[in-house]
Amino acid sequence: MTNSAKFKLERRLVLTIVLLPVAMVVIFVGDTVTDYAIAAAVFYTPVILVATRLLPAGTVVALAFACVALTLLSFALTHSGAYEVGIVNTGISIVAIGVTTYLSLKLVAAEAAAHESRERLLRMARITSLGELTASIAHEVNQPLAAIATSAGACRRWLAQEPPAIANAQRAADRIVEDANRASAVIARVRGLASGKAPHRERFDFNALVREVVALAGERGERSGITVRLSLQHDLPAILADRVQVGQVVGNLLLNAVEAIEAKTGGAKTLEIVSETEDRNRIRFSVIDSGVGFRQGELEHLFDAFWTTKKDGVGLGLTISRSIIEANGGRIWAETGRDGGAIARFSLPAGIGAIE
Amino acid sequence: MKPQPSTGKTADPTVYIIDDDRSVRAALEDLLASVSLRAKSFASVQDFLAFDLPGAPACLVLDVRMPGQSGMDFLEHMTEYGLYLPTVMITGHGDIAMGVKAMKDGAIEFLTKPFRDQDLLDAVHRGIEADRTRRLREAANADVARRWASLSSGEKDVARLVATGLLNKQIAADLGVSEITVKVRRGHLMRKMNTRTLADLIRLLDRIQPT
């Protein structure tokens, strides 16, 4: 909510809270000075109606009792007119106040229930994107499986040749091993995601990890003609965290950056990767890209689950990244860069001492 | 008639692979190499379009889901690029609707990863055969069209009337020339079209549908 809207709402609330007692006093005075025949107390009902819109149920009930009390007090103070008419009118007023309070509170409750079910529907809609998530996992796993099956077929054919092409078969077998490892890494990642198990913390050289991930993601960046600049602080202290998980986050941030750069037409294509000490016992990692950057309002949703700007995205990458970094005692955030690109950063606690 | 030897039989067939996954590309290339098929792979549709295709029989193995232009989308618009490659679709997560769409758009096979290597090879061989046949037919049609174009307009007139089953005498009357002229033109055109029998001639004319 913007500040001005908040201010307007507050002013309205204050105004009402002041106006309600004033109205009640006016009605009370009117009820008291007029004779029994005039049921001025019925006018308490609009006061109740306004109150239910703005005040919590308990306060509204208290207010209703106050109105009833005032009605009775008016009745006691008024002496003009027919007494019986007075009793009947007061009775009608009290019933009107009571019924109004009951009905309007029920209405508010019904509206709240409707709102909640709408929210639930929205959540359900999001959960259906879990179907998309599984499709995406299936794709990730099927890719190496397809490569394995195909390589195995090739391997068998190389061996069946006369004479057998041993070297070729060996290469095919090597590829099978590699792809099997890749498939199991995907499974491990999904399982880690689903079980939410505690990170396995160890001390490790963060820069080495970054270099590994950059090497893995390098092909994609190269293909897109991106200039990658690594500035890794050489005496960076070792960090204490789950190496595999942190590697996933680094990879995720790099991939996002590459995609953001690919999405932009024209201009420089640079990706800057920085590691540095934040203070004595924290390190900070930044990915600075020259990509499309953030549109207004995007920054605040960035880490929301199922929120994405990518056409085929599921909207979980940064959500998972955040939960990983936080589980490892760190913090992750994003900023807009000087040239309009995006900066993604996280900081993590250092294990003491640099790795030699 | 004889097919042009340059378009088809002598050039080696090539299998083109478009898949964004490096392992899958490497495995497919190797599998095709193991059955002595030449393969060339690309990481994206864009890369493939930038490549200059030689005139050899070919087959395309196309992944459905890729960053940039998807395989599905490319298949649908392939003819707009002037490409008539028999295409084998492969996908990591396919459903029936996707398969139906691919086949409607002209794919010769739709395989879900991981697929049996034999299934892929069978499909690829079928694709190459289909492409070879298409190329031969196109070359032959071009040859017939060239022969037809070499006829004089008088010979073309005679050819059309011969094809309708008229006798020389009737043709002569129709065209207002002597029967001898019709016989001479008929001899010329049969030689130029490289046919001996009337049935052959009719078959050739059918192919190019001369107007």
Side-chain angles (χ1 to χ4, degrees), chain B residues 27-43:
Chain B
L28 280 174
E29 272 188 49
D30 195 39
L31 176 69
L32 292 164
S34 73
V35 294
S36 311
L37 269 175
R38 195 165 53 180
K40 177 142 184 57
S41 64
F42 304 87

Side-chain angles (χ1 to χ4, degrees), chain A residues 83-113:
Chain A
Y83 187 71
E84 290 79 9
V85 175
I87 288 182
V88 171
N89 275 348
T90 302
I92 289 172
S93 298
I94 289 171
V95 168
I97 291 166
V99 168
T100 306
T101 309
Y102 173 72
L103 286 181
S104 55
L105 283 178
K106 249 193 120 147
L107 184 70
V108 168
E111 274 174 4

Side-chain angles (χ1 to χ4, degrees), chain A residues 131-145:
Chain A
E132 285 169 41
L133 178 66
T134 41
S136 155
I137 292 168
H139 186 77
E140 287 264 309
V141 180
N142 276 338
Q143 215 64 290
L145 284 184

Side-chain angles (χ1 to χ4, degrees), chain B:
Chain B
M1 63 157 198
K2 291 173 196 116
Q4 296 291 102
S6 65
T7 45
K9 259 185 181 141
T10 53
D12 278 340
T14 310
V15 180
Y16 299 106
I17 300 161
I18 313 180
D19 194 310
D20 62 319
D21 191 280
R22 198 172 33 167
S23 309
V24 173
R25 286 201 305 272
L28 280 174
E29 272 188 49
D30 195 39
L31 176 69
L32 292 164
S34 73
V35 294
S36 311
L37 269 175
R38 195 165 53 180
K40 177 142 184 57
S41 64
F42 304 87
S44 71
V45 169
Q46 211 181 348
D47 289 357
F48 177 67
L49 286 175
F51 178 75
D52 219 6
L53 290 178
C59 176
L60 177 65
V61 177
L62 181 61
D63 187 30
V64 167
R65 178 168 162 168
M66 281 182 290
Q69 189 175 15
S70 82
M72 238 20 203
D73 191 53
F74 180 56
L75 177 69
E76 196 183 327
H77 297 106
M78 209 150 71
T79 49
E80 287 164 28
Y81 295 104
L83 293 170
Y84 301 93
L85 288 171
T87 304
V88 178
M89 299 297 286
I90 51 175
T91 178
H93 64 306
D95 50 32
I96 293 174
M98 196 188 275
V100 169
K101 173 149 176 28
M103 300 310 272
K104 270 189 177 165
D105 286 338
I108 59 165
E109 187 61 276
F110 184 84
L111 299 173
T112 340
K113 291 178 189 172
F115 39 77
R116 264 166 31 93
D117 56 343
Q118 193 57 52
D119 289 347
L120 181 95
L121 291 177
D122 288 347
V124 163
H125 279 126
R126 255 191 300 130
I128 288 172
E129 261 334 291
D131 197 43
R132 196 198 305 277
T133 313
R134 180 186 67 83
R135 280 165 193 277
L136 287 177
R137 195 176 55 237
E138 264 178 16
N141 287 355
D143 184 51
V144 172
R146 212 164 28 244
R147 286 169 192 277
W148 175 256
S150 73
L151 301 188
S152 73
S153 69
E155 288 161 358
K156 283 182 185 170
D157 290 339
V158 171
R160 285 193 200 99
L161 293 171
V162 165
T164 62
L166 293 185
L167 301 171
N168 286 351
K169 201 187 295 177
Q170 294 166 306
I171 295 171
D174 254 26
L175 294 176
V177 296
S178 69
E179 205 180 325
I180 297 291
T181 311
V182 172
K183 273 188 183 163
V184 170
R185 285 185 189 170
R186 192 163 169 171
H188 284 171
L189 81 90
M190 291 300 270
R191 199 176 59 249
K192 284 185 182 171
M193 291 303 285
N194 197 19
T195 50
R196 276 201 306 276
T197 67
L198 181 60
D200 277 350
L201 179 70
I202 292 173
R203 233 188 339 264
L204 289 188
L205 294 189
D206 243 12
R207 205 128 103 194
I208 53 167
Q209 297 176 333
T211 46

Side-chain angles (χ1 to χ4, degrees), chain A residues 9-271:
Chain A
L9 194 79
E10 263 171 21
R11 210 172 54 176
R12 228 176 75 193
L13 201 70
V14 169
L15 209 68
T16 324
I17 287 168
V18 172
L19 277 182
L20 282 179
V22 169
M24 283 167 69
V25 169
V26 168
I27 295 165
F28 172 69
V29 171
D31 194 21
T32 310
V33 296
T34 53
D35 63 28
Y36 288 135
I38 297 171
V42 171
F43 292 110
Y44 284 123
T45 53
V47 173
I48 302 288
L49 282 176
V50 172
T52 42
R53 290 281 130 201
L54 297 159
L55 301 171
T59 318
V60 173
V61 172
L63 207 64
F65 275 114
C67 289
V68 170
L70 288 175
T71 309
L72 290 173
L73 189 61
S74 292
F75 175 69
L77 295 176
T78 304
H79 291 296
S80 54
Y83 187 71
E84 290 79 9
V85 175
I87 288 182
V88 171
N89 275 348
T90 302
I92 289 172
S93 298
I94 289 171
V95 168
I97 291 166
V99 168
T100 306
T101 309
Y102 173 72
L103 286 181
S104 55
L105 283 178
K106 249 193 120 147
L107 184 70
V108 168
E111 274 174 4
H115 181 74
E116 197 188 320
S117 61
R118 208 162 37 237
E119 286 283 299
R120 198 161 48 224
L121 216 67
L122 222 71
R123 267 202 303 277
M124 294 264 285
R126 280 178 188 160
I127 289 168
T128 48
S129 14
L130 263 178
E132 285 169 41
L133 178 66
T134 41
S136 155
I137 292 168
H139 186 77
E140 287 264 309
V141 180
N142 276 338
Q143 215 64 290
L145 284 184
I148 288 170
T150 310
S151 292
C155 183
R156 219 167 41 191
R157 279 160 213 277
W158 289 124
L159 289 176
Q161 281 182 6
E162 206 51 61
I166 301 290
N168 285 345
Q170 206 128 42
R171 267 200 298 278
D174 288 347
R175 277 202 318 271
I176 292 175
V177 172
E178 248 170 63
D179 288 326
N181 286 336
R182 203 176 116 211
S184 84
V186 173
I187 306 267
R189 206 158 70 214
V190 173
R191 281 193 57 181
L193 207 161
S195 67
K197 64 171 186 220
H200 168 72
R201 290 194 195 184
E202 55 183 336
R203 282 181 74 228
F204 66 90
D205 179 355
F206 182 71
N207 286 342
L209 174 70
V210 171
R211 279 193 208 95
E212 273 173 38
V213 178
V214 169
L216 277 174
E219 194 208 19
R220 170 85 182 268
E222 247 170 56
R223 225 189 313 130
S224 307
I226 297 171
T227 314
V228 179
R229 204 164 45 234
L230 275 178
S231 25
L232 308 177
Q233 186 180 314
H234 75 278
D235 59 346
L236 199 72
I239 65 168
L240 188 65
D242 188 311
R243 195 175 193 278
V244 177
Q245 288 188 348
V246 173
Q248 281 167 22
V249 176
V250 170
N252 188 253
L253 297 186
L254 289 183
L255 207 65
N256 281 346
V258 168
E259 282 177 358
I261 297 172
E262 282 173 347
K264 193 174 128 177
T265 45
K269 292 182 168 191
T270 57
L271 175 58

